[in-house]
Amino acid sequence: MKYVDEFRDPVLARTLADAIARITTRPWTMMEICGGQTHAIVRHGIDRILPEGVSLLHGPGCPVCVTPAETIDLAVAIAREPEVILCSFGDMLRVPGNEASLLGARARGADVRMVYSPLDALRIARETSEREVVFFAIGFETTAPASAMTVAQAAREGIRNFSLLVSHVLVPPAIEALLGAPDNQVQGFLAAGHVCTVMGCSEYEPIARRHRVPIVVTGFEPLDILQGIYLCIRQLEEGRAEVENPYSRSVRREGNRKAQELLRRVFTVQKQRWRGIGEIAESGLGLAPEFAAFDARLRFDVCSDTAERRNECISGEILRGVRKPPDCPAFGTRCTPERPLGATMVSSEGACAAYYRYRRAAGRSAREEAVP
Ligand code: SF4
């Protein structure tokens, strides 16, 4: 398949792995931000062909995983309102809140529907004018423009029975928070290519300078990731801390200006709680005053407990890169994709789901597709 197969070429992958080994003189710790990259790394065994001492930590770039339990509780409370149809993406319906998941609410009679796009939810609102349709909007800078476009469309059409429960989050403030944490081990980042396709990569430049960390914009195929690791280690070895963009087939430094303009028009930047991490200043989006009529938090007079309750799940530490899924005593036993205890096992981009799928068996899983 064009644009896929050439980025999975095993000979080139081996060449890149050899190049990484040649330039590496000491241990380095890097973090891939995005859950999609984590899945590619685990699936293709990329972390297992790196030189000894070079490690990859898995970052918080899974939007389903970082949506706080109290926001899911709020979504469940809204879904239980008799006139409401609550719509969201499939994984989001399965993630447990403090009390229940949205699928659990559906089993008890709430009208909860899976959609592939916020525009699907808007269509349902158009077709069901006697009901209130709420789209639970999650995701990073990649999915936020679609939410913004949908709200702008609803406003243009004068659709009154549609609203958004917004839980969009922003990547650069999360990187800053991780770098500022006392237990931070990350020396370089592989930034998520799809986020940079929208936002560009210039906003990473002050972070790289301030924290003296290389940030390499990285795609999602094995060669993209190996190239990102190579460039990141080369900067570390040379004492540089710059933003590099080898993912130029998708990312321009300035990003997608139209999408950014739409985000600025529809949303305002605000503080946001991240599941397992806590509150990060200026790391989330809320609807701008002009679009407040579409804000489900204002439209529905429901409340939910704001405290995140503790269970044995250590996904907060996994999302901060402090621990890895096999460190969790519940991994693969009390916690599985069928009976998940935490969001990182539910989401198709979650780190626990990646390890369960590709590394569950002791040693190497038969399903792991290794770079030779
Ligand atoms: S294996 Fe399950 S319980 Fe453990 S950290 Fe992952 S999601 Fe949480």
Side-chain angles (χ1 to χ4, degrees), residues 52-74:
E52 202 179 328
V54 171
S55 58
L56 292 171
L57 301 178
H58 313 311
C62 160
V64 170
C65 304
V66 299
T67 301
E70 64 263 28
T71 308
I72 295 169
D73 291 345
L74 182 59

Side-chain angles (χ1 to χ4, degrees), residues 311-316 318 325 328-332 334-336 340-346 352-353:
N311 62 19
E312 62 181 320
C313 177
I314 60 162
S315 59
I318 290 169
C328 175
F331 175 77
R334 292 181 300 287
C335 181
T336 64
L341 291 178
T344 46
M345 185 61 93
V346 175
C352 296

Side-chain angles (χ1 to χ4, degrees), residues 161-181:
N161 63 324
F162 177 76
S163 58
L164 244 59
L165 175 58
V166 181
S167 191
H168 282 300
V169 285
L170 304 172
V171 171
I175 290 183
E176 291 250 38
L178 291 170
L179 287 168

Side-chain angles (χ1 to χ4, degrees), residues 89-107:
F89 303 124
D91 282 351
M92 201 62 241
L93 306 188
R94 299 178 57 227
V95 178
N98 284 317
E99 300 293 343
S101 66
L102 283 162
L103 276 189
R106 182 161 84 180

Side-chain angles (χ1 to χ4, degrees), residues 14-344:
R14 188 70 261 169
T15 305
L16 270 169
D18 290 344
I20 290 169
R22 268 198 309 279
I23 63 167
T24 304
T25 65
R26 69 194 100 160
W28 297 112
T29 300
M30 291 160 285
M31 174 180 275
E32 83 278 1
I33 291 293
C34 174
Q37 292 168 331
T38 302
H39 272 251
I41 287 164
V42 178
R43 174 179 177 185
H44 295 283
I46 291 170
D47 51 336
R48 290 178 161 168
I49 60 165
L50 298 178
E52 202 179 328
V54 171
S55 58
L56 292 171
L57 301 178
H58 313 311
C62 160
V64 170
C65 304
V66 299
T67 301
E70 64 263 28
T71 308
I72 295 169
D73 291 345
L74 182 59
V76 168
I78 291 172
R80 284 180 180 146
E81 294 290 296
E83 75 280 14
V84 166
I85 300 171
L86 192 130
C87 305
S88 196
F89 303 124
D91 282 351
M92 201 62 241
L93 306 188
R94 299 178 57 227
V95 178
N98 284 317
E99 300 293 343
S101 66
L102 283 162
L103 276 189
R106 182 161 84 180
R108 285 189 290 278
D111 193 345
V112 174
R113 302 187 192 181
M114 188 190 88
V115 292
Y116 293 101
S117 146
L119 287 169
D120 292 342
L122 185 60
R123 177 183 47 75
I124 294 169
R126 249 186 239 114
E127 294 169 355
T128 329
S129 58
E130 72 284 5
R131 304 277 301 277
E132 282 287 334
V133 178
V134 181
F135 178 68
F136 188 7
I138 60 136
F140 291 94
E141 293 92 331
T142 37
T143 52
S147 297
M149 184 184 68
T150 306
V151 169
Q153 177 77 20
R156 256 196 314 277
E157 291 183 32
I159 295 177
R160 302 267 171 252
N161 63 324
F162 177 76
S163 58
L164 244 59
L165 175 58
V166 181
S167 191
H168 282 300
V169 285
L170 304 172
V171 171
I175 290 183
E176 291 250 38
L178 291 170
L179 287 168
D183 53 0
N184 172 55
Q185 307 164 37
V186 182
Q187 296 165 296
F189 282 97
L190 308 183
H194 51 5
V195 168
C196 297
T197 301
V198 175
M199 302 307 288
C201 47
S202 58
E203 61 182 338
Y204 292 107
E205 290 164 5
I207 300 175
R209 275 196 300 275
R210 206 162 31 243
H211 296 275
R212 297 288 310 149
V213 286
I215 300 176
V216 180
V217 179
T218 304
F220 301 88
E221 294 300 329
L223 293 191
D224 290 319
I225 293 167
L226 283 164
Q227 186 185 26
I229 294 167
Y230 173 83
L231 292 172
C232 200
I233 292 180
R234 192 172 72 177
Q235 284 201 46
L236 288 163
E237 291 279 346
E238 293 173 359
R240 291 183 293 121
E242 298 162 11
V243 175
E244 274 184 279
N245 175 23
Y247 194 44
S248 56
R249 70 183 187 276
S250 177
V251 173
R252 287 171 294 163
R253 182 174 177 273
E254 69 278 13
N256 181 332
R257 291 222 164 103
K258 279 199 165 163
Q260 294 164 21
E261 205 178 292
L262 188 60
L263 289 177
R264 278 193 295 273
R265 186 159 77 83
V266 173
F267 291 122
T268 53
V269 174
Q270 61 184 27
K271 67 185 177 188
Q272 173 80 24
R273 279 187 64 76
W274 293 55
R275 188 190 276 244
I277 297 176
E279 188 172 289
I280 304 175
E282 300 189 341
S283 69
L285 297 175
L287 284 164
E290 185 191 340
F291 295 95
F294 296 95
D295 191 340
R297 291 175 200 264
L298 302 176
R299 187 174 294 199
F300 296 95
D301 187 21
V302 296
C303 53
S304 65
D305 193 348
T306 53
E308 187 170 323
R309 287 180 210 141
R310 296 233 158 251
N311 62 19
E312 62 181 320
C313 177
I314 60 162
S315 59
E317 290 163 84
I318 290 169
L319 290 165
R320 286 188 287 120
V322 177
R323 296 172 83 181
K324 290 194 173 179
D327 298 333
C328 175
F331 175 77
T333 53
R334 292 181 300 287
C335 181
T336 64
E338 290 74 36
R339 299 180 77 83
L341 291 178
T344 46

